[in-house]
Amino acid sequence: MFLKLPAYFVWIMNIGGLSLLPLLISFVFIQLPDRWFHQDQGLLRLLPMERNGKIYSRILRINRWKGWLPDGGAWMKGGFAKKKLQTNTLSYLQQFTKETRRGEWAHWCMLLMTPLFILWNEGWGIIAVFAYAFFANLPCILVQRHNRARFSRLMSRRDEICYSKEMKLVSLEE
């Protein structure tokens, strides 16, 4: 602990910080341009074992518990609700995919900001704050990755389906 603060003030700083920091980070990420989230880069790059999304469905059983997570995008002005699909158009799925990247980056940043709490915490306080940050953000990160893998698969199938229909129409006309 770098700052010697009374215990009640440490509690106030922890509760306030763990509540307000995610809101601030979310607000900042909503303001960022869409072009920054056009493709998977860095931490967001899906690993080969994730690409089909089955690791999330079969092993982590995300479909069973993801509905319990809050949809932070729907809470803020300018945010993008990701709880339910509104339509299945290609442009909507592409925007949804960008928003999963935006959401995942925001949650990674929330985790990366956690070491700030070392300034006024010590011992069990540090462990509690890190555990809270980990367990509050990791499920959200996993759901974003799960959805992005599913949508990537869906959009690639959509291209195949559209291509095959186009070919059938051409062959029928000849």
Side-chain angles (χ1 to χ4, degrees):
M1 172 174 27
F2 296 103
L3 303 173
K4 289 282 186 187
L5 301 170
Y8 72 90
F9 199 69
V10 170
W11 277 92
I12 291 170
M13 293 284 290
N14 286 341
I15 293 169
L18 291 171
S19 302
L20 296 177
L21 192 60
L23 292 174
L24 176 65
I25 290 170
S26 297
F27 176 77
V28 168
F29 271 83
I30 286 172
Q31 307 308 312
L32 297 176
D34 281 357
R35 70 178 183 276
W36 289 18
F37 306 102
H38 186 64
Q39 61 186 17
D40 295 343
Q41 295 177 342
L43 285 173
L44 271 59
R45 186 164 288 138
L46 293 173
L47 302 172
M49 66 181 189
E50 296 177 279
R51 292 222 172 102
N52 63 13
K54 290 179 183 168
I55 188 171
Y56 297 110
S57 300
R58 290 184 183 161
I59 296 172
L60 299 176
R61 308 248 188 236
I62 280 185
N63 291 332
R64 290 186 181 184
W65 53 264
K66 73 178 185 174
W68 292 89
L69 295 177
D71 184 3
W75 297 350
M76 302 189 90
K77 184 179 180 183
F80 186 91
K82 294 181 289 299
K83 195 81 159 177
K84 292 184 178 184
L85 286 177
Q86 304 300 317
T87 181
N88 64 352
T89 63
L90 183 59
S91 62
Y92 178 79
L93 293 175
Q94 289 171 334
Q95 184 63 36
F96 199 110
T97 303
K98 284 180 191 176
E99 297 301 329
T100 64
R101 291 183 189 110
R102 184 186 312 269
E104 186 178 341
W105 269 122
H107 283 285
W108 279 115
C109 285
M110 290 172 203
L111 274 174
L112 293 173
M113 297 302 284
T114 308
L116 286 175
F117 290 81
I118 292 174
L119 293 174
W120 58 84
N121 280 287
E122 61 184 356
W124 286 105
I126 293 172
I127 293 169
V129 166
F130 274 79
Y132 172 80
F134 180 79
F135 288 111
N137 288 292
L138 185 65
C140 300
I141 290 169
L142 292 174
V143 168
Q144 302 301 333
R145 297 180 76 82
H146 166 70
N147 286 338
R148 198 161 58 256
R150 285 178 49 217
F151 290 144
S152 295
R153 194 173 67 237
L154 179 65
M155 287 187 285
S156 69
R157 281 188 190 161
R158 186 182 180 105
D159 290 342
E160 291 169 12
I161 292 167
C162 291
Y163 183 72
S164 64
K165 283 182 181 177
E166 184 179 317
M167 292 301 288
K168 286 178 186 175
L169 288 175
V170 170
S171 63
L172 287 174
E173 290 175 358
E174 294 176 355

